[in-house]
Amino acid sequence: NTPAVPRESVEDILSQLPPIDTAKVLAEMEKELAEEEPEVDGLIPAYKPIVEVTPSLVDDLNNGQLDHVGGIRDHTGEFKEWHEMASLHSKDGEILHILPYSVID
């Protein structure tokens, strides 16, 4: 029998962390934003549509059903998570089988 190892609660562990200085964090974020490279004429800007955060979007995100975040929809419209094989139509109309993403660490 091995002796029981005393476990610390989450609150005990979090209490050991230094407090967050929100003013310092915000100042750091503003500095990073100011240092971003300006747009250059002639370059195509990255299009990032403004997405309204709705309860439905949050539910989809939490349940893994958000396209290109939790997985993709295959050629039949069925949602496939990243660890599942999916099949899509190629540009020539043939079925292209996409193997799942895997981590081998």
Side-chain angles (χ1 to χ4, degrees):
N1 290 338
T2 56
V5 178
R7 292 186 162 251
E8 293 183 85
S9 71
V10 172
E11 290 80 16
D12 292 337
I13 294 169
L14 291 176
S15 70
Q16 297 174 22
L17 295 173
I20 296 173
D21 183 353
T22 53
K24 184 177 178 181
V25 171
L26 289 173
E28 205 172 289
M29 290 173 60
E30 287 175 0
K31 180 182 174 190
E32 288 176 9
L33 284 173
E35 291 175 356
E36 285 185 3
E37 294 182 24
E39 289 188 28
V40 178
D41 287 338
L43 292 180
I44 300 172
Y47 175 69
K48 295 181 183 176
I50 296 173
V51 177
E52 181 182 350
V53 178
T54 62
S56 173
L57 178 64
V58 172
D59 185 54
D60 287 346
L61 183 59
N62 287 332
N63 292 319
Q65 296 288 311
L66 195 58
D67 287 344
H68 304 290
V69 174
I72 59 172
R73 298 203 180 274
D74 69 3
H75 71 284
T76 64
E78 182 181 348
F79 187 84
K80 299 287 186 172
E81 292 185 359
W82 296 121
H83 66 275
E84 299 177 288
M85 188 177 92
S87 300
L88 298 174
H89 290 287
S90 71
K91 68 178 184 96
D92 297 325
E94 297 176 5
I95 297 291
L96 177 66
H97 300 287
I98 302 168
L99 298 177
Y101 176 81
S102 60
V103 178
I104 56 172
D105 289 347

